[in-house]
Amino acid sequence: MKVLVIGAAGMVGRKLTAALLAAGQVGGQPIESLMLADIVAPEMPAATLPIDTIATDLSEPGSAVLLLKARPDLIFHLAAIVSGEAEADFEKGYRINLDGTRHLFEAIRLSAQPYRPRVVFTSSIAVFGEPLPAVIGDSQDHTPLTSYGTQKAICELLLADYSRRGFLDGVGIRLPTIAVRPGKPNKAASGFFSGIIREPLAGMEAILPVDDSVRHWFASPRAAVGFLLHAAQMDTAPLGQRRNLTMPGLSVTVAEQIAALRRVAGPAATQLIRRQPDEVIAKIVAGWPQAFDAQRALALGFHAETSFDEIIRIHIEDELPPAQP
């Protein structure tokens, strides 16, 4: 099996690459080669199998064609700009998030036949927007209230149509907000959800721009990688024409996040959270979903954490150095 990861330099892309190399196979098929692509060249991991890294902009004409020259059997499409940046730069959001995806799908369609790769596409719960029920089921209409959500919703339709026509075998996974994200903050409007945990655990002050009552839907980076690997090897026949799935997760408020941090790390950590209201972020977050009933994904074998304490402990295990005796 030849595997292509687009967006491999990002946090989830790096963790996915590590998981693929550790497993050495997908669905019982040995990985023959791995290509890692992003807007900047991903780091070359240590491995015994052939790996290529490439810096490319998927939205540029011809980029997708070059990525497909080796005819990968499995493609993970993770590349995107995040919600806050897509809202701030309208043209860039549509160029990267929509045009880049369509270029990829078209390059697959126009490849020499027969060629029908499995494509795992990362979508987002931002495809949903008000008015919303308290708990969102699998039949909820898409009513995005951000440019990012609109771009992802359009790509979901394209994935389903290109799959229906037999050009590719697509699985779209709507990721919860991934927390706790390691490293430095990005431009996502949701970044503070990770920041109020990550920074205090590192002994740093964190800014909280929204009210403690804000509720949201979460899963860990470890769960996100699990979603991707399961989507890569699952039987897609049960999906029928509904190729996009809301992933399972955990619905908690900011206050519940902070309470979990206190239980895991003690009160000193929570005292590093500074409340600094930001009306722009609060307005964006107010239109986001709060909870889901992800029955389709659960029935198909996807799973995530069941407590925010567990999410925090996963971050400590995976990202923080062991405590010194």
Side-chain angles (χ1 to χ4, degrees), residues 179-180 193 197 218 250 252 257 260 306-312:
V180 177
F193 286 122
I197 306 298
F218 299 98
L250 179 69
V252 299
Q257 281 188 272
T306 57
S307 77
F308 206 84
D309 298 54
E310 184 182 358
I311 287 177
I312 294 175

Side-chain angles (χ1 to χ4, degrees), residues 2-322:
K2 298 177 182 178
V3 180
L4 166 63
V5 181
I6 305 172
M11 182 273 291
V12 174
R14 294 193 302 273
K15 289 181 176 293
L16 173 63
T17 298
L20 288 167
L21 291 174
Q25 55 84 32
V26 179
Q29 297 186 59
I31 298 174
E32 174 187 339
S33 64
L34 187 60
M35 176 178 281
L36 308 175
D38 212 317
I39 193 71
V40 295
E43 287 186 14
M44 176 67 77
T48 56
L49 57 82
I51 299 178
D52 288 323
T53 63
I54 183 170
T56 188
D57 183 344
L58 192 62
S59 68
E60 291 293 328
S63 173
V65 174
L66 290 175
L67 292 178
L68 296 179
K69 285 187 74 173
R71 294 169 69 86
D73 307 286
L74 171 60
I75 302 171
F76 294 98
H77 179 24
L78 319 178
I81 65 167
V82 292
S83 53
E85 189 174 4
E87 198 68 14
D89 192 332
F90 183 85
E91 291 185 357
K92 184 178 182 181
Y94 274 88
R95 179 173 60 83
I96 300 297
N97 294 343
L98 176 56
D99 296 345
T101 300
R102 186 161 186 266
H103 288 334
L104 174 64
F105 292 174
E106 276 292 275
I108 293 171
R109 181 179 72 88
L110 297 173
S111 295
Q113 298 299 318
Y115 181 53
R116 187 173 180 260
R118 171 69 58 88
V119 177
V120 179
F121 169 69
T122 50
S123 187
S124 168
I125 58 173
V127 301
F128 303 108
E130 294 178 329
L132 290 171
V135 179
I136 299 166
D138 288 317
S139 60
Q140 179 69 30
D141 290 337
H142 290 183
T143 53
L145 293 178
T146 63
S147 294
Y148 175 77
T150 301
Q151 292 146 15
K152 289 293 189 179
I154 295 170
C155 291
E156 284 194 10
L157 292 172
L158 292 174
L159 182 81
D161 197 39
Y162 278 66
S163 295
R164 180 184 65 85
R165 296 296 299 268
F167 304 133
L168 51 85
D169 183 18
V171 183
I173 59 173
R174 300 183 193 113
L175 292 176
T177 287
I178 301 303
V180 177
R181 297 183 68 94
K184 296 180 179 180
N186 62 18
K187 295 182 180 180
S190 60
F192 68 89
F193 286 122
S194 285
I196 62 172
I197 306 298
R198 180 185 58 234
E199 270 70 84
L201 286 174
M204 300 166 57
E205 183 182 78
I207 302 299
L208 175 59
V210 303
D211 190 80
D212 287 32
S213 63
V214 167
R215 178 176 291 277
H216 200 53
W217 187 245
F218 299 98
S220 74
R222 190 186 291 179
V225 171
F227 299 155
L228 291 163
L229 293 175
H230 186 64
Q233 56 194 306
M234 66 181 289
D235 178 8
T236 55
L239 291 176
Q241 305 304 326
R242 299 171 62 199
R243 289 283 175 149
N244 298 281
L245 296 159
T246 298
M247 292 293 98
L250 179 69
S251 176
V252 299
T253 64
V254 168
E256 289 167 336
Q257 281 188 272
I258 295 171
L261 178 63
R262 184 179 296 108
R263 287 191 296 270
V264 173
T270 61
Q271 290 169 7
L272 290 169
I273 299 171
R274 180 161 62 87
R275 288 160 175 79
Q276 183 177 304
D278 185 317
E279 291 184 5
V280 173
I281 292 177
K283 183 178 180 181
I284 291 174
V285 173
W288 285 352
Q290 298 182 358
F292 290 86
D293 183 15
Q295 287 301 312
R296 286 187 73 216
L298 289 168
L300 289 165
F302 293 91
H303 59 86
E305 294 80 20
T306 57
S307 77
F308 206 84
D309 298 54
E310 184 182 358
I311 287 177
I312 294 175
R313 290 192 180 99
I314 285 172
H315 176 72
I316 293 172
E317 291 172 12
D318 291 355
E319 307 300 338
L320 300 186

